[in-house]
Amino acid sequence: MDHEADAYRTDLMTITRFVLNEQSRNPEARGDLTILLSHIVLGCKFVASAVNKAGLAKLIGLAGETNVQASEEQKKLDVLSNEVFVKALVSSGRTCILVSEEDEEATFVDPAMRGKYCVCFDPLDGSSNIDCGVSIGTIFGIYMIKDKENATLEEVLQPGKNMVAAGYCMYGSSCTLVLSTGNGVNGFTLDPSLGEFILTHPEIKVPKKGKIYSVNEGNAKNWDEPTAKYVEKCKYPTDGSSPKSLRYVGSMVADVHRTFLYGGIFLYPADKKSPNGKLRVLYEVFPMSYLMEQAGGQSFTGKGRALDIVPTKIHERSPIFLGSYDDVEEIKALYAAHAK
């Protein structure tokens, strides 16, 4: 009997209910952000389905030979994901400017469909990992625009601390959406039988100190001194503590998601090859830094707080060190000492 009752749990906290609850806390809210988020959630469901190779049987056919037309129609997943999100965001009627990792230029929404938000997103981060089955994800950050009728590119180039919401959706062994609207961080898991995101990780708090460091050590010969010193310290601690474990997927969403849950530090520093770092400010560094601060961690660029950067172009890059509060404090101290 209990099991049967469980099968009809209509008291579950879905992401829709959760966002509506958040909205009801704010008496001035008109529901625009709620509508925008519901369109982003729909985009994530579409991409999750595509990543899971939905419709694959139709493409391959019974005899196993690939249908030539179908394979031509079958777009690359990152291109498909970009189209899915652009359509979902424009059709919400709540956006005026979109910045995508896939598009060289920003997209200005047709005035008739405009709303007051700008969304910066990476539709499929880590897409080079698709073919080997490693987790990939979508990252997004949302800003408010003052004047939607006369919106300019300058309005997109705001510091990350001005964001009103940010999140990512990870497509892995399960599909997980992590979201903040400036009131803490919550994680939702897609239940495929319902087609609904259910709250599974309420009020995520990153541990104050972690035992994991995450970095591409293949770049070590090009690192600056503070980064090299920090990683050396992770491997050969001088204070009698155990060495940290190295975990590096090479898919930012997967590496940062693990950092939220288990603690530690994720670093993509500047080096001789990439003097400005590799990760893009608007749709990688900012959303992840916003979430990390909301979860009690911190995010640092080697010069200062990541969310204080004022970008000068939409695809600008920055070094990034983010994760557990105490671990980021250590790298900040090494950079401060180096500056002296």
Side-chain angles (χ1 to χ4, degrees):
M1 178 62 204
D2 284 340
H3 182 68
E4 273 184 29
D6 254 12
Y8 302 105
R9 288 282 306 273
T10 46
D11 59 338
L12 288 168
M13 179 60 82
T14 65
I15 196 163
T16 313
R17 272 183 62 195
F18 182 87
V19 173
L20 284 166
N21 285 355
E22 290 277 293
Q23 180 194 321
S24 65
R25 287 182 186 184
N26 179 358
E28 289 92 58
R30 290 191 19 234
D32 288 329
L33 185 61
T34 303
I35 290 167
L36 174 55
L37 287 169
S38 73
H39 278 71
I40 290 174
V41 167
L42 181 63
C44 291
K45 288 178 187 173
F46 261 93
V47 174
S49 169
V51 166
N52 281 323
K53 300 283 190 275
L56 181 68
K58 287 196 195 97
L59 294 180
I60 292 176
L62 283 178
E65 67 270 1
T66 306
N67 173 343
V68 176
Q69 263 174 310
S71 72
E72 280 170 12
E73 282 165 24
Q74 192 188 15
K75 293 192 171 132
K76 286 200 123 155
L77 270 175
D78 44 5
V79 177
L80 174 85
S81 306
N82 190 44
E83 284 180 14
V84 163
F85 279 104
V86 170
K87 282 179 183 155
L89 292 166
V90 171
S91 67
S92 73
R94 300 299 182 278
T95 58
C96 61
I97 309 178
L98 309 178
V99 173
S100 167
E101 192 268 343
E102 287 287 322
D103 296 325
E104 199 60 43
E105 306 289 330
T107 300
F108 287 83
V109 178
D110 176 28
M113 291 291 284
R114 271 188 196 179
K116 61 182 177 186
Y117 292 106
C118 159
V119 183
C120 304
F121 61 100
D122 187 343
L124 208 56
D125 186 73
S127 50
S128 61
N129 278 325
I130 291 171
D131 293 337
C132 63
V134 167
S135 293
I136 49 185
T138 299
I139 310 172
F140 60 90
I142 303 174
Y143 291 95
M144 205 179 283
I145 298 284
K146 289 184 191 73
D147 179 3
K148 65 178 186 188
E149 308 309 330
N150 305 301
T152 62
L153 203 52
E154 274 55 58
E155 287 202 75
V156 178
L157 303 172
Q158 303 185 41
K161 61 186 174 192
N162 293 358
M163 278 192 297
V164 294
Y168 61 83
C169 186
M170 185 173 76
Y171 315 105
S173 49
S174 60
C175 177
T176 310
L177 198 150
V178 174
L179 174 70
S180 175
T181 53
N183 200 0
V185 181
N186 290 275
F188 303 81
T189 304
L190 184 61
D191 180 334
S193 64
L194 294 174
E196 281 283 9
F197 280 101
I198 309 293
L199 180 64
T200 48
H201 296 74
E203 293 173 26
I204 295 172
K205 287 276 174 247
V206 64
K208 195 154 185 298
K209 192 168 175 57
K211 298 182 174 134
I212 296 172
Y213 73 106
S214 185
V215 64
N216 182 351
E217 291 224 34
N219 293 331
K221 79 178 180 89
N222 294 317
W223 286 343
D224 63 15
E225 193 188 326
T227 298
K229 269 190 180 161
Y230 180 77
V231 172
E232 185 72 7
K233 211 168 143 190
C234 290
K235 296 196 273 197
Y236 304 100
T238 48
D239 57 2
S241 60
S242 299
K244 289 191 189 315
S245 294
L246 168 66
R247 296 282 182 274
Y248 188 70
V249 178
S251 193
M252 188 192 193
V253 173
D255 281 313
V256 174
H257 186 66
R258 183 199 52 247
T259 307
F260 274 114
L261 300 185
Y262 301 163
I265 187 166
F266 168 82
L267 33 157
Y268 209 118
D271 59 32
K272 294 188 190 100
K273 258 191 340 201
S274 314
N276 299 318
K278 194 88 177 278
L279 298 176
R280 267 69 53 107
V281 172
L282 282 178
Y283 40 80
E284 290 174 325
V285 170
F286 277 170
M288 292 308 201
S289 300
Y290 180 88
L291 291 165
M292 193 52 80
E293 286 196 7
Q294 284 287 326
Q298 34 176 354
S299 184
F300 175 66
T301 63
K303 293 194 173 89
R305 179 188 176 210
L307 291 179
D308 289 339
I309 299 172
V310 181
T312 55
K313 50 185 196 285
I314 61 174
H315 297 296
E316 189 166 315
R317 299 172 191 264
S318 167
I320 182 79
F321 306 85
L322 58 77
S324 294
Y325 195 93
D326 291 356
D327 293 332
V328 178
E329 274 302 300
E330 278 187 43
I331 194 106
K332 280 164 78 173
L334 288 169
Y335 271 95
H338 183 68
K340 281 179 189 165

mmCIF file of all heavy atoms in Angstrom, residues 298-325:
data_model
loop_
_atom_site.group_PDB
_atom_site.id
_atom_site.type_symbol
_atom_site.label_atom_id
_atom_site.label_comp_id
_atom_site.label_asym_id
_atom_site.label_seq_id
_atom_site.Cartn_x
_atom_site.Cartn_y
_atom_site.Cartn_z
ATOM 1 N N GLN A 298 33.841 30.702 -2.811
ATOM 2 C CA GLN A 298 34.257 31.944 -3.458
ATOM 3 C C GLN A 298 34.898 31.693 -4.807
ATOM 4 O O GLN A 298 35.203 30.554 -5.162
ATOM 5 C CB GLN A 298 35.156 32.826 -2.579
ATOM 6 C CG GLN A 298 36.104 32.179 -1.638
ATOM 7 C CD GLN A 298 36.976 33.221 -0.913
ATOM 8 O OE1 GLN A 298 36.942 34.418 -1.194
ATOM 9 N NE2 GLN A 298 37.781 32.758 0.014
ATOM 10 N N SER A 299 35.076 32.783 -5.545
ATOM 11 C CA SER A 299 35.589 32.686 -6.897
ATOM 12 C C SER A 299 36.517 33.864 -7.157
ATOM 13 O O SER A 299 36.143 35.009 -6.945
ATOM 14 C CB SER A 299 34.413 32.708 -7.866
ATOM 15 O OG SER A 299 34.891 32.532 -9.163
ATOM 16 N N PHE A 300 37.723 33.550 -7.650
ATOM 17 C CA PHE A 300 38.824 34.512 -7.717
ATOM 18 C C PHE A 300 39.466 34.405 -9.108
ATOM 19 O O PHE A 300 39.487 33.329 -9.701
ATOM 20 C CB PHE A 300 39.809 34.120 -6.611
ATOM 21 C CG PHE A 300 41.086 34.899 -6.551
ATOM 22 C CD1 PHE A 300 41.085 36.245 -6.237
ATOM 23 C CD2 PHE A 300 42.309 34.266 -6.755
ATOM 24 C CE1 PHE A 300 42.283 36.954 -6.145
ATOM 25 C CE2 PHE A 300 43.507 34.964 -6.668
ATOM 26 C CZ PHE A 300 43.499 36.313 -6.368
ATOM 27 N N THR A 301 39.982 35.521 -9.617
ATOM 28 C CA THR A 301 40.564 35.489 -10.970
ATOM 29 C C THR A 301 42.096 35.490 -10.963
ATOM 30 O O THR A 301 42.715 35.436 -12.018
ATOM 31 C CB THR A 301 40.140 36.732 -11.772
ATOM 32 O OG1 THR A 301 40.686 37.888 -11.106
ATOM 33 C CG2 THR A 301 38.631 36.851 -11.863
ATOM 34 N N GLY A 302 42.706 35.587 -9.791
ATOM 35 C CA GLY A 302 44.150 35.811 -9.730
ATOM 36 C C GLY A 302 44.433 37.278 -9.444
ATOM 37 O O GLY A 302 45.506 37.654 -8.993
ATOM 38 N N LYS A 303 43.406 38.149 -9.713
ATOM 39 C CA LYS A 303 43.543 39.581 -9.419
ATOM 40 C C LYS A 303 42.502 40.030 -8.404
ATOM 41 O O LYS A 303 42.749 40.929 -7.615
ATOM 42 C CB LYS A 303 43.391 40.406 -10.698
ATOM 43 C CG LYS A 303 44.511 40.198 -11.708
ATOM 44 C CD LYS A 303 44.475 41.281 -12.786
ATOM 45 C CE LYS A 303 45.662 41.212 -13.725
ATOM 46 N NZ LYS A 303 45.426 40.344 -14.890
ATOM 47 N N GLY A 304 41.311 39.434 -8.472
ATOM 48 C CA GLY A 304 40.240 39.870 -7.572
ATOM 49 C C GLY A 304 39.029 38.962 -7.683
ATOM 50 O O GLY A 304 39.095 37.888 -8.279
ATOM 51 N N ARG A 305 37.920 39.434 -7.108
ATOM 52 C CA ARG A 305 36.672 38.658 -7.128
ATOM 53 C C ARG A 305 36.165 38.540 -8.568
ATOM 54 O O ARG A 305 36.076 39.535 -9.288
ATOM 55 C CB ARG A 305 35.647 39.391 -6.255
ATOM 56 C CG ARG A 305 34.281 38.747 -6.188
ATOM 57 C CD ARG A 305 33.325 39.675 -5.447
ATOM 58 N NE ARG A 305 31.960 39.159 -5.415
ATOM 59 C CZ ARG A 305 30.872 39.916 -5.369
ATOM 60 N NH1 ARG A 305 30.991 41.243 -5.352
ATOM 61 N NH2 ARG A 305 29.669 39.371 -5.329
ATOM 62 N N ALA A 306 35.830 37.325 -8.960
ATOM 63 C CA ALA A 306 35.409 37.089 -10.352
ATOM 64 C C ALA A 306 34.177 37.909 -10.726
ATOM 65 O O ALA A 306 34.084 38.440 -11.839
ATOM 66 C CB ALA A 306 35.154 35.604 -10.572
ATOM 67 N N LEU A 307 33.216 38.047 -9.802
ATOM 68 C CA LEU A 307 31.958 38.728 -10.136
ATOM 69 C C LEU A 307 32.113 40.240 -10.286
ATOM 70 O O LEU A 307 31.173 40.928 -10.684
ATOM 71 C CB LEU A 307 30.880 38.413 -9.084
ATOM 72 C CG LEU A 307 30.369 36.970 -9.063
ATOM 73 C CD1 LEU A 307 29.317 36.783 -7.971
ATOM 74 C CD2 LEU A 307 29.793 36.546 -10.409
ATOM 75 N N ASP A 308 33.312 40.759 -9.956
ATOM 76 C CA ASP A 308 33.557 42.197 -10.120
ATOM 77 C C ASP A 308 34.123 42.554 -11.494
ATOM 78 O O ASP A 308 34.247 43.733 -11.823
ATOM 79 C CB ASP A 308 34.528 42.702 -9.038
ATOM 80 C CG ASP A 308 33.871 42.737 -7.660
ATOM 81 O OD1 ASP A 308 32.633 42.760 -7.597
ATOM 82 O OD2 ASP A 308 34.613 42.730 -6.647
ATOM 83 N N ILE A 309 34.485 41.547 -12.294
ATOM 84 C CA ILE A 309 35.014 41.843 -13.637
ATOM 85 C C ILE A 309 33.975 42.661 -14.416
ATOM 86 O O ILE A 309 32.790 42.342 -14.395
ATOM 87 C CB ILE A 309 35.279 40.544 -14.444
ATOM 88 C CG1 ILE A 309 36.310 39.648 -13.761
ATOM 89 C CG2 ILE A 309 35.719 40.856 -15.873
ATOM 90 C CD1 ILE A 309 36.447 38.277 -14.422
ATOM 91 N N VAL A 310 34.450 43.695 -15.111
ATOM 92 C CA VAL A 310 33.574 44.413 -16.046
ATOM 93 C C VAL A 310 34.045 44.035 -17.455
ATOM 94 O O VAL A 310 35.082 44.501 -17.918
ATOM 95 C CB VAL A 310 33.652 45.947 -15.849
ATOM 96 C CG1 VAL A 310 32.700 46.647 -16.827
ATOM 97 C CG2 VAL A 310 33.319 46.316 -14.405
ATOM 98 N N PRO A 311 33.299 43.148 -18.131
ATOM 99 C CA PRO A 311 33.774 42.675 -19.445
ATOM 100 C C PRO A 311 33.740 43.788 -20.484
ATOM 101 O O PRO A 311 32.926 44.709 -20.382
ATOM 102 C CB PRO A 311 32.795 41.554 -19.810
ATOM 103 C CG PRO A 311 31.705 41.577 -18.802
ATOM 104 C CD PRO A 311 32.011 42.592 -17.747
ATOM 105 N N THR A 312 34.641 43.697 -21.463
ATOM 106 C CA THR A 312 34.667 44.712 -22.525
ATOM 107 C C THR A 312 34.180 44.131 -23.847
ATOM 108 O O THR A 312 33.873 44.858 -24.769
ATOM 109 C CB THR A 312 36.086 45.274 -22.718
ATOM 110 O OG1 THR A 312 36.981 44.175 -22.955
ATOM 111 C CG2 THR A 312 36.550 46.031 -21.479
ATOM 112 N N LYS A 313 34.150 42.787 -23.952
ATOM 113 C CA LYS A 313 33.558 42.162 -25.151
ATOM 114 C C LYS A 313 32.836 40.877 -24.756
ATOM 115 O O LYS A 313 33.117 40.313 -23.703
ATOM 116 C CB LYS A 313 34.609 41.920 -26.233
ATOM 117 C CG LYS A 313 35.872 41.203 -25.784
ATOM 118 C CD LYS A 313 36.854 41.151 -26.973
ATOM 119 C CE LYS A 313 37.951 40.130 -26.753
ATOM 120 N NZ LYS A 313 38.983 40.544 -25.786
ATOM 121 N N ILE A 314 31.912 40.422 -25.604
ATOM 122 C CA ILE A 314 31.007 39.358 -25.164
ATOM 123 C C ILE A 314 31.688 37.998 -25.004
ATOM 124 O O ILE A 314 31.235 37.191 -24.212
ATOM 125 C CB ILE A 314 29.737 39.248 -26.050
ATOM 126 C CG1 ILE A 314 30.073 38.923 -27.502
ATOM 127 C CG2 ILE A 314 28.888 40.490 -25.934
ATOM 128 C CD1 ILE A 314 28.831 38.670 -28.382
ATOM 129 N N HIS A 315 32.769 37.764 -25.756
ATOM 130 C CA HIS A 315 33.431 36.454 -25.617
ATOM 131 C C HIS A 315 34.749 36.555 -24.844
ATOM 132 O O HIS A 315 35.644 35.734 -25.019
ATOM 133 C CB HIS A 315 33.646 35.820 -26.993
ATOM 134 C CG HIS A 315 32.361 35.527 -27.720
ATOM 135 N ND1 HIS A 315 31.435 34.617 -27.259
ATOM 136 C CD2 HIS A 315 31.835 36.046 -28.872
ATOM 137 C CE1 HIS A 315 30.401 34.576 -28.096
ATOM 138 N NE2 HIS A 315 30.609 35.440 -29.070
ATOM 139 N N GLU A 316 34.834 37.567 -23.998
ATOM 140 C CA GLU A 316 36.043 37.772 -23.196
ATOM 141 C C GLU A 316 36.352 36.544 -22.319
ATOM 142 O O GLU A 316 35.442 35.841 -21.886
ATOM 143 C CB GLU A 316 35.814 38.998 -22.301
ATOM 144 C CG GLU A 316 37.057 39.463 -21.575
ATOM 145 C CD GLU A 316 36.854 40.863 -20.987
ATOM 146 O OE1 GLU A 316 36.324 41.748 -21.700
ATOM 147 O OE2 GLU A 316 37.212 41.055 -19.822
ATOM 148 N N ARG A 317 37.643 36.334 -22.060
ATOM 149 C CA ARG A 317 38.063 35.196 -21.230
ATOM 150 C C ARG A 317 38.669 35.682 -19.920
ATOM 151 O O ARG A 317 39.094 36.829 -19.825
ATOM 152 C CB ARG A 317 39.114 34.356 -21.969
ATOM 153 C CG ARG A 317 38.611 33.764 -23.282
ATOM 154 C CD ARG A 317 39.756 33.109 -24.055
ATOM 155 N NE ARG A 317 39.364 32.766 -25.417
ATOM 156 C CZ ARG A 317 38.940 31.566 -25.798
ATOM 157 N NH1 ARG A 317 38.842 30.590 -24.909
ATOM 158 N NH2 ARG A 317 38.611 31.336 -27.048
ATOM 159 N N SER A 318 38.731 34.772 -18.950
ATOM 160 C CA SER A 318 39.367 35.122 -17.674
ATOM 161 C C SER A 318 39.888 33.864 -16.995
ATOM 162 O O SER A 318 39.291 32.800 -17.119
ATOM 163 C CB SER A 318 38.351 35.802 -16.747
ATOM 164 O OG SER A 318 38.867 35.869 -15.425
ATOM 165 N N PRO A 319 40.999 33.998 -16.247
ATOM 166 C CA PRO A 319 41.412 32.895 -15.378
ATOM 167 C C PRO A 319 40.368 32.719 -14.272
ATOM 168 O O PRO A 319 39.644 33.666 -13.965
ATOM 169 C CB PRO A 319 42.733 33.376 -14.763
ATOM 170 C CG PRO A 319 43.098 34.632 -15.479
ATOM 171 C CD PRO A 319 41.878 35.178 -16.121
ATOM 172 N N ILE A 320 40.300 31.535 -13.676
ATOM 173 C CA ILE A 320 39.297 31.312 -12.619
ATOM 174 C C ILE A 320 39.781 30.279 -11.598
ATOM 175 O O ILE A 320 40.391 29.274 -11.963
ATOM 176 C CB ILE A 320 37.946 30.873 -13.263
ATOM 177 C CG1 ILE A 320 36.849 30.681 -12.226
ATOM 178 C CG2 ILE A 320 38.085 29.600 -14.059
ATOM 179 C CD1 ILE A 320 36.238 31.940 -11.757
ATOM 180 N N PHE A 321 39.549 30.600 -10.329
ATOM 181 C CA PHE A 321 39.818 29.683 -9.211
ATOM 182 C C PHE A 321 38.554 29.705 -8.366
ATOM 183 O O PHE A 321 38.243 30.730 -7.767
ATOM 184 C CB PHE A 321 40.992 30.192 -8.363
ATOM 185 C CG PHE A 321 42.251 30.461 -9.157
ATOM 186 C CD1 PHE A 321 42.434 31.683 -9.805
ATOM 187 C CD2 PHE A 321 43.235 29.499 -9.265
ATOM 188 C CE1 PHE A 321 43.578 31.945 -10.551
ATOM 189 C CE2 PHE A 321 44.384 29.748 -10.014
ATOM 190 C CZ PHE A 321 44.562 30.961 -10.653
ATOM 191 N N LEU A 322 37.808 28.601 -8.355
ATOM 192 C CA LEU A 322 36.567 28.656 -7.556
ATOM 193 C C LEU A 322 36.359 27.379 -6.764
ATOM 194 O O LEU A 322 36.854 26.322 -7.120
ATOM 195 C CB LEU A 322 35.364 28.991 -8.432
ATOM 196 C CG LEU A 322 34.942 28.153 -9.623
ATOM 197 C CD1 LEU A 322 34.211 26.893 -9.200
ATOM 198 C CD2 LEU A 322 34.004 28.971 -10.494
ATOM 199 N N GLY A 323 35.651 27.530 -5.628
ATOM 200 C CA GLY A 323 35.366 26.356 -4.802
ATOM 201 C C GLY A 323 35.235 26.702 -3.336
ATOM 202 O O GLY A 323 34.791 27.796 -2.979
ATOM 203 N N SER A 324 35.639 25.744 -2.491
ATOM 204 C CA SER A 324 35.515 25.893 -1.043
ATOM 205 C C SER A 324 36.198 27.171 -0.566
ATOM 206 O O SER A 324 37.288 27.520 -1.038
ATOM 207 C CB SER A 324 36.148 24.692 -0.346
ATOM 208 O OG SER A 324 35.413 23.518 -0.648
ATOM 209 N N TYR A 325 35.557 27.841 0.395
ATOM 210 C CA TYR A 325 36.035 29.150 0.867
ATOM 211 C C TYR A 325 37.513 29.119 1.276
ATOM 212 O O TYR A 325 38.313 29.933 0.819
ATOM 213 C CB TYR A 325 35.162 29.611 2.044
ATOM 214 C CG TYR A 325 35.345 31.080 2.346
ATOM 215 C CD1 TYR A 325 34.510 32.022 1.773
ATOM 216 C CD2 TYR A 325 36.366 31.524 3.192
ATOM 217 C CE1 TYR A 325 34.678 33.378 2.030
ATOM 218 C CE2 TYR A 325 36.549 32.879 3.449
ATOM 219 C CZ TYR A 325 35.698 33.809 2.860
ATOM 220 O OH TYR A 325 35.887 35.142 3.094
#
